[in-house]
Amino acid sequence: MSLSDPGWSAVDDYIVGKLIGEDTALEAALANNRRAGLPPIDVSLAQGKMLQLLARGVGARRILEIGTLGGYSSIFLARALGEDGVLVTLELEPEYAAVACANIEHAGVGRSVDIRIGPACDTLEAMCSEGEAAFDFVFIDADKDNYPAYLDYAIQLSRQGTMLIFDNVVREGEVINPQSSDPKVSGTRALYDALQDNAKIDATAIQTVGSKKWDGFLLALVQ
Ligand code: SAH
Ligand code: DHB
Ligand code: MG
């Protein structure tokens, strides 16, 4: 415990113990990520389960994820899909995508997951021009300076009622600092600006604390 964690991680452990439980495939994914030197910036277990429940709750058959890393969040999202569902997940780094591929296979959901490697804006542009079918649920978690661009692409690849979730929209409170020189903060602020008075999108953001400290998710519905 410390000032920056007055019990948040311990409460996350309690939540996991009561409501989720140990999961060997997810634990193996984190161990593989660590071994391969990936940064430990995956969603938490409790957050991943929330994404899974949200995607399952909206009956998602087609899910888009922007920012795969080692596939930890991808495993939750793939588990939300029915037999015939698909998760398309976009990752810049081929080395990360290879780790993700192994983790996703090991979790037994490889059949549902399509990892596309490259800068996500390029992949999304191609998906739009090639007439990719609409997604039911979109999780956006890649480079934060591109969040406004990812919003535009996500809308283009949506239908009425598609749910969009952006990660890391609070950043320990830095999001309200207009002077911030961190492009992750300015990119996230530009996302809020794009959503301000946007009649096409109904949105909120929820601050979170836990093992990933103080951050938050932005939830938006395309109407
Ligand atoms: N969703 C993951 C964490 C993603 S971390 C999880 O919770 O398990 C953000 C990822 O976005 C990193 O793997 C990073 O390589 C990737 N990324 C950064 N810039 C990108 C870009 N321009 N296009 C696609 N992916 C990008
Ligand atoms: C960072 C990125 C993330 O997606 C995250 O959940 C936490 C941190 C980062 O780039 O710092
Ligand atoms: Mg994140």
Side-chain angles (χ1 to χ4, degrees):
M1 283 208 250
S2 70
L3 263 186
S4 64
D5 185 355
W8 299 338
S9 292
V11 174
D12 252 6
D13 291 345
Y14 176 81
I15 290 168
V16 168
K18 288 290 176 190
L19 305 178
I20 310 176
E22 309 272 299
D23 186 296
T24 52
L26 290 167
E27 283 164 15
L30 291 183
N32 268 339
N33 290 358
R34 209 174 310 117
R35 210 172 303 124
L38 271 55
I41 54 174
D42 343 67
V43 292
S44 72
L45 181 51
Q47 291 172 341
K49 184 67 186 289
M50 181 191 77
L51 295 172
Q52 183 179 328
L53 291 173
L54 286 171
R56 186 153 74 88
V58 302
R61 284 281 162 277
R62 290 179 47 77
I63 302 178
L64 172 64
E65 177 179 62
I66 309 177
T68 314
L69 191 66
Y72 188 72
S73 54
S74 317
I75 292 169
F76 289 99
L77 293 170
R79 286 176 174 175
L81 294 164
E83 277 297 298
D84 55 345
V86 65
L87 167 67
V88 178
T89 183
L90 314 185
E91 175 52 51
L92 175 66
E93 304 290 346
E95 298 81 7
Y96 295 1
V99 175
C101 185
N103 287 335
I104 289 165
E105 283 295 334
H106 180 251
V109 290
R111 253 184 329 115
S112 318
V113 183
D114 177 358
I115 307 177
R116 300 189 189 171
I117 299 167
C121 283
D122 295 355
T123 310
L124 290 160
E125 187 65 41
M127 288 166 79
C128 289
S129 63
E130 287 160 14
E132 178 93 31
F135 291 92
D136 308 307
F137 188 95
V138 186
F139 177 52
I140 298 146
D141 193 22
D143 47 327
K144 316 309 172 197
D145 39 327
N146 272 321
Y147 268 17
Y150 296 149
L151 172 67
D152 286 343
Y153 284 119
I155 293 170
Q156 287 183 64
L157 292 165
S158 289
R159 55 163 173 83
Q160 192 176 1
T162 295
M163 180 177 285
L164 315 180
I165 311 265
F166 290 81
D167 193 18
N168 311 115
V169 298
V170 174
R171 306 209 74 95
E172 304 206 284
E174 266 300 291
V175 71
I176 62 168
N177 178 7
Q179 258 85 55
S180 175
S181 55
D182 182 349
K184 293 175 184 174
V185 171
S186 47
T188 304
R189 288 176 59 81
L191 170 69
Y192 281 96
D193 290 343
L195 289 169
Q196 190 172 18
D197 305 320
N198 183 328
K200 201 171 156 43
I201 310 284
D202 204 8
T204 188
I206 293 294
Q207 303 184 66
T208 56
V209 294
S211 59
K212 297 290 166 170
K213 308 250 175 66
W214 176 23
D215 214 324
F217 292 99
L218 190 147
L219 286 78
L221 214 53
V222 179
Q223 32 202 8

